[in-house]
Amino acid sequence: MSARWSLVAALGWLVTAGCGAVEPARNPTGAPSARELRVLDATLDASRWLDASARVAAAAGAGALQPLSAAMAAEGDRIGGFVELGAEACLLGIARPGPSVADVDLFVFSDGGDLLAADESPAPEASVLVCPPHPERMYVVARVVAGTGIVAVGAMPVSPSAVAAVARAIEVRGQPGQDTGKLEGWPGLEAKIRDRRRALGSSWEDVRRTLLPVEPRTVTAFSLGVGAERCIDVLVAPGEAVHGIELAVTDAKGRVVARADAPGRDRALVLCAHAQQSLTLQIRPLASAGVVAVVVGQAPVGAAGELRDARFVDPVAPTATLGEATARLHERTRGLRFGAGRLIGSANHHVDARTARAELWSEQGEQLAWAQGSESATLFRCGPAGVAQAEVLAEQLPGPFTIELREDPKPPPLLLLQPLAAARLLARLEVSHGPVDADRLGSAVAVALGTATRTIVPIAVPADLCVEVFAALDGAARGLELRLADESNGKVEVSLGDTVASTRLCASAEPKRARVELRSTRAEARGLLLQQSTQADARRALPR
Amino acid sequence: VSSAGVAVLNDCGPGPRLARARLTVRSPRAAVELLLVQHADALPPLGLVAPERASGAASRADGSAESLRPEPFAARLAHAEQAARLDGATATTRVQTVASSRGEGTILLELPAGCHRLGVLGQEPSEPAAPFDVDAEARSSDGAELLARDRSTAPDALLELCVAQAQKVSLRFGGAASHGAVTVLDALWPLPAGLDPLWSPEVRAGLARAIVRRGAPGPRTMPVLQVLGGQGSTLVPASVEPGACYLAALALRRGQASAARLSASLPDRAVVDQATAWPYAAAVTFCAGESERVALTVEVRSTLAWWQLVLWRVGGGSP
């Protein structure tokens, strides 16, 4: 303690001692003194709000109610608490409000923040069930969506044999990936979203779900952002009263960068960006008025290569001369094992260096690689010396371009045995981690993949770190399923890709064990699997 | 002395008397804009012209504010009526009642379609030193919806609201003299002509309120753009004609909000209006200058609300 603070503390003690010896006087203004006001050490009795539902659940076979918390809450407030539960039992979480609260959502998280179950239905009461495997410790939290008043949260153990009866007695919502009730005005919408995302590939997390009005002669606007090297999936589903809609996407300057096509009543787009973009969805009904549901999901950084039908929406992004773009590329790739760039081609027409797609083809007509870039794009090819054809396609305006070749003369031998898989992995890493060289795949392992069996590889996630897992198919095979099963809570992340898939798992204070499960969805194939540890908040720092 | 950053100096009369003025800025730094206005009619209050600067009444810093000494009841009523006429009110109606022993009261008004300025004027208390501060609020007849409220420190209360169709409104007041006479002066302005009758009454009322509150010129033509949206921040890029001037207004269609904000950004400037009270409607005016595009941004803070944005061309440019 500094001398200054010592002095202040001493004075404070003296003053307190002096005051303590004097009987408190009544306020000279006549106001009631502190003696007439007592602060009570009391809490709200959560049981009062939970008992009715608890009795129904108990009659169906649930165990004793454990009240967790009760509080006066306003919109957006959260209340909850931790619970511990035996490995064999299920957890029933319930949130019950007072009459002035119109909508409450309920979530159960693992200690590490993984969502285990959610009830986001637009109703005042919320209930969820979490069954084994689940972590021993869980956090049950309710969020007030509409209204202000009392909310109580409680938990009850349920034996697996009684789960069905309890679920019938108390309307419960499911685990992640199942119907959370958030847009329950659209029966089947959740299943539609799951099917769509499974078909798209990669893995998805919800960003926004909302309902919006549509009217003839009027455009309905909805703004969203796409992060750098991210892709978002936009699904707009019209209500029954709406006979068809048009969906266009504009950038911040009002330029239309994408339009969704028929068939079907729904409109959907996968939008990717190299640099962060602000976009606005413009929804127009063809004739009738009504409501549409807008569901936006987001794929991991760098997942564009794993997706089908991805559209890049970078507008006439950061403009640079060819010299500037080349200089930046050289700066970014300095220090890589790949040697200095060797100019192998250039042109003064055909391509705008700002937004281009590049492809590499073998002499036999096999596509070896493709890439999309705003200022530059990188194609990878592994294998013995040979002839390949590079094709560069302008996405917008024509302009000059150059092609440079860099070579790594001594790549890890495994890459030469599975050259397409190696090139696909390098391309995938390049997008999410910035410039990489072949040595980055030094720890990759070869895997044989079947359609009916899963190839299992155990992994360990160190405390406070994440493990990223990348897999790529070699040869002409298509269709890859990558599952990552977290053994601490039984949660499984599924990522699908055409030729590449990726996922990641993070551990908090405790290390985790997990299982990678790989499968080729169409034909037996071989491929490469790469796992690497990374900081939980690691992001690619270099601009593309 | 300035209030809310605006200092006003008036000089009226047949000839020029105010030849020179000196401005002293007390802030360490400030940008000052001078506006010289020659006018025949009374200028509207600052709160109507620039609502974002209206900070409400301020008490004296030492906490020893004296009771306000209002004009006599009849004079205040006459002045309020005259001010409304000067502001363009097409009709004024007086409704009389008597406050309770506690100076409170509730009356049910049937308001015709239009924008209303409801002045609640009470007879001054017989005791000169007695506090005299009438507050009032207007709610829908079922009491569920707060339409307007005035809790400022002033002898009379002033409520401003627009209704798109005849509506019963419950007006509650307090702070009047015990058993004193209270008159509600309803001054009426017609709704702006450019409001599409196909829009819901709530939207038309909100848009009208935003336009009147902003002191913007009422649109006379059909809109050039209509946009719907939900809670959160929404960017709406729009095409505009160089040289033309526009009015953009925002109103809630459904749900409740805690705040609403509307801005229009042009390459060289931006204009903003925000609303923190019912009906959470906002309006901005701008001229396109040389620009062909404007970025309109709507921000509505709410858990579930739908809004409607309308853009009118109000003048300038080629016909």
Side-chain angles (χ1 to χ4, degrees):
Chain A
M1 185 184 286
S2 70
R4 178 188 173 89
W5 283 106
S6 300
L7 177 60
V8 173
L11 286 172
W13 180 84
L14 288 170
V15 171
T16 304
C19 290
V22 179
E23 184 74 11
R26 192 173 177 86
N27 187 326
T29 63
S33 71
R35 207 179 239 186
E36 296 172 29
L37 173 69
R38 283 192 306 133
V39 175
L40 302 178
D41 183 18
T43 56
L44 288 168
D45 178 13
S47 303
R48 181 181 164 193
W49 309 98
L50 301 171
D51 271 351
S53 296
R55 278 197 296 274
V56 173
L65 170 70
Q66 299 291 331
L68 284 173
S69 181
M72 300 289 183
E75 287 182 10
D77 287 351
R78 293 171 170 82
I79 62 166
F82 280 102
V83 296
E84 272 189 359
L85 185 67
E88 302 302 320
C90 296
L91 171 75
L92 170 65
I94 55 175
R96 297 293 182 265
S100 55
V101 176
D103 187 1
V104 173
D105 292 344
L106 184 64
F107 305 89
V108 180
F109 293 95
S110 73
D111 227 357
D114 297 324
L115 179 64
L116 303 176
D119 181 349
E120 298 180 79
S121 56
E125 298 185 343
S127 312
V128 293
L129 262 172
V130 180
C131 284
H134 57 68
E136 184 180 342
R137 209 167 107 105
M138 291 174 276
Y139 188 64
V140 183
V141 59
R143 178 184 65 186
V144 177
V145 179
T148 300
I150 291 174
V151 176
V153 182
M156 303 171 76
V158 181
S159 67
S161 60
V163 161
V166 171
R168 275 195 303 273
I170 301 275
E171 190 182 356
V172 297
R173 299 290 172 185
Q175 297 178 353
Q178 299 178 3
D179 185 358
T180 64
K182 193 164 187 174
L183 292 175
E184 63 179 12
W186 265 258
L189 182 61
E190 292 268 2
K192 188 184 293 184
I193 295 165
R194 282 201 304 277
D195 291 345
R196 170 172 170 74
R197 291 179 180 173
R198 189 176 298 126
L200 288 173
S202 190
S203 57
W204 296 90
E205 61 176 342
D206 262 0
V207 177
R208 282 185 74 177
R209 293 185 176 205
T210 192
L211 300 178
L212 292 173
V214 289
E215 259 183 24
R217 301 182 303 132
T218 305
V219 61
T220 295
F222 179 81
S223 290
L224 42 80
V226 188
E229 302 297 357
R230 287 267 194 189
C231 294
I232 59 169
D233 174 41
V234 177
L235 172 67
V236 181
E240 288 182 359
V242 181
H243 303 300
I245 52 171
E246 292 178 346
L247 171 62
V249 183
T250 59
D251 66 11
K253 295 191 173 177
R255 284 183 288 247
V256 175
V257 295
R259 286 186 192 277
D261 302 320
R265 298 179 71 242
D266 301 340
R267 293 290 178 269
L269 285 166
V270 177
L271 306 168
C272 304
H274 297 299
Q276 185 156 346
Q277 302 294 336
S278 294
L279 303 173
T280 297
L281 306 182
Q282 299 200 348
I283 307 160
R284 295 175 194 270
L286 297 181
S288 46
V291 179
V292 297
V294 179
V295 182
V296 182
Q298 177 178 257
V301 172
E306 304 169 13
L307 303 175
R308 292 176 191 170
D309 301 329
R311 299 184 197 199
F312 282 82
V313 293
D314 297 271
V316 205
T319 52
T321 64
L322 187 57
E324 290 169 341
T326 308
R328 276 205 282 263
L329 178 66
H330 291 171
E331 177 65 28
R332 289 166 48 216
T333 53
R334 183 179 298 159
L336 294 180
R337 273 165 48 95
F338 285 116
R342 177 159 55 91
L343 184 66
I344 61 169
S346 65
N348 285 323
H349 55 283
H350 299 314
V351 169
D352 175 9
R354 292 170 293 193
T355 311
R357 178 183 170 93
E359 297 176 1
L360 197 63
W361 294 79
S362 71
E363 281 187 300
Q364 290 74 37
E366 180 188 17
Q367 190 186 56
L368 301 174
W370 71 269
Q372 182 118 10
S374 58
E375 190 174 288
S376 63
T378 306
L379 300 167
F380 290 91
R381 176 192 176 274
C382 298
V387 176
Q389 177 174 317
E391 296 181 358
V392 186
L393 311 169
E395 293 285 319
Q396 294 180 6
L397 301 173
F401 72 93
T402 62
I403 302 176
E404 289 185 353
L405 180 67
R406 289 178 174 76
E407 292 173 279
D408 186 340
K410 290 185 179 176
L414 182 60
L415 277 59
L416 300 178
L417 298 175
Q418 297 204 30
L420 274 178
R424 288 164 180 162
L425 275 187
L426 286 170
R428 174 64 184 82
L429 285 171
E430 167 99 2
V431 175
S432 57
H433 292 73
V436 294
D437 53 29
D439 209 30
R440 188 71 176 261
L441 301 187
S443 60
V445 295
V447 287
L449 306 174
T451 55
T453 56
R454 291 180 179 139
T455 300
I456 296 175
V457 179
I459 63 169
V461 185
D464 298 322
L465 288 177
C466 299
V467 169
E468 296 175 316
V469 180
F470 301 88
L473 292 176
D474 196 49
R478 293 288 186 273
L480 176 63
E481 180 187 271
L482 168 62
R483 296 161 57 94
L484 185 57
D486 181 348
E487 293 182 355
S488 67
N489 58 19
K491 189 179 170 190
V492 179
E493 281 284 341
V494 181
S495 179
L496 301 168
D498 198 32
T499 57
V500 187
S502 67
T503 187
R504 103 186 201 146
L505 179 65
C506 297
S508 50
E510 294 293 322
K512 281 183 174 181
R513 304 197 66 77
R515 206 169 60 245
V516 173
E517 301 172 349
L518 276 170
R519 187 172 72 91
S520 174
T521 58
R522 295 184 204 165
E524 291 190 352
R526 61 178 190 165
L528 292 178
L529 177 70
L530 173 72
Q531 55 170 300
Q532 58 182 29
S533 296
T534 179
Q535 296 292 328
D537 58 351
R539 292 287 184 273
R540 190 171 60 77
L542 293 169
R544 187 176 170 79
Chain B
V1 178
S2 67
S3 170
V6 178
V8 180
L9 197 60
N10 285 317
D11 184 26
C12 299
R17 290 183 300 172
L18 187 61
R20 180 176 294 181
R22 190 179 71 179
L23 180 71
T24 304
V25 179
R26 293 178 180 169
S27 303
R29 289 186 302 276
V32 178
E33 185 174 345
L34 292 176
L35 186 64
L36 187 63
V37 180
Q38 189 171 13
H39 56 99
D41 298 333
L43 292 176
L46 177 64
L48 292 180
V49 179
E52 70 277 11
R53 285 181 173 269
S55 56
S59 61
R60 282 172 54 166
D62 60 3
S64 59
E66 297 174 3
S67 297
L68 296 168
R69 297 179 187 282
E71 285 184 301
F73 181 44
R76 283 185 283 121
L77 198 53
H79 287 162
E81 204 159 21
Q82 185 185 19
R85 293 282 185 189
L86 288 172
D87 287 349
T90 53
T92 56
T93 307
R94 295 184 182 191
V95 180
Q96 296 173 347
T97 186
V98 176
S100 70
S101 59
R102 300 177 60 181
E104 298 170 348
T106 301
I107 54 176
L108 192 64
L109 302 172
E110 184 151 0
L111 301 181
C115 290
H116 297 260
R117 183 190 294 171
L118 301 172
V120 186
L121 297 90
Q123 189 177 29
E124 56 276 16
S126 53
E127 175 63 43
F132 184 40
D133 173 15
V134 174
D135 293 335
E137 66 179 33
R139 289 182 174 272
S140 54
S141 57
D142 60 2
E145 200 167 28
L146 177 66
L147 305 178
R149 174 182 279 169
D150 182 353
R151 289 181 173 173
S152 62
T153 306
D156 306 323
L158 195 66
L159 304 173
E160 292 179 312
L161 64 137
C162 298
V163 293
Q165 57 190 12
Q167 183 175 343
K168 288 181 179 172
V169 169
S170 172
L171 188 147
R172 261 181 74 191
F173 62 86
S178 177
H179 298 297
V182 172
T183 295
V184 177
L185 179 68
D186 177 14
L188 175 68
W189 286 260
L191 292 172
L195 302 180
D196 190 333
L198 292 177
W199 298 338
S200 70
E202 292 77 16
V203 168
R204 280 184 286 146
L207 294 173
R209 178 73 194 109
I211 294 167
V212 169
R213 185 173 67 91
R214 189 68 182 177
R220 295 189 176 84
T221 58
M222 293 306 287
V224 295
L225 178 68
Q226 298 179 56
V227 185
L228 306 178
Q231 67 269 24
S233 179
T234 305
L235 172 68
V236 182
S239 297
V240 289
E241 183 182 332
C245 295
Y246 293 86
L247 163 67
L250 169 76
L252 287 190
R253 275 171 69 103
R254 179 184 154 178
Q256 293 289 324
S258 57
R261 186 174 187 271
L262 172 63
S263 67
S265 298
L266 293 151
D268 56 345
R269 63 196 180 282
V271 287
V272 181
D273 186 22
Q274 53 190 11
T276 54
W278 194 94
Y280 300 100
V284 296
T285 55
F286 60 91
C287 294
E290 297 178 354
S291 179
E292 295 181 345
R293 301 204 68 83
V294 62
L296 301 166
T297 303
V298 176
E299 290 180 51
V300 172
R301 275 183 252 155
S302 163
T303 51
L304 179 61
W306 291 347
W307 49 258
Q308 182 160 344
L309 170 69
V310 184
L311 181 68
W312 289 274
R313 184 177 154 169
V314 290
S318 55

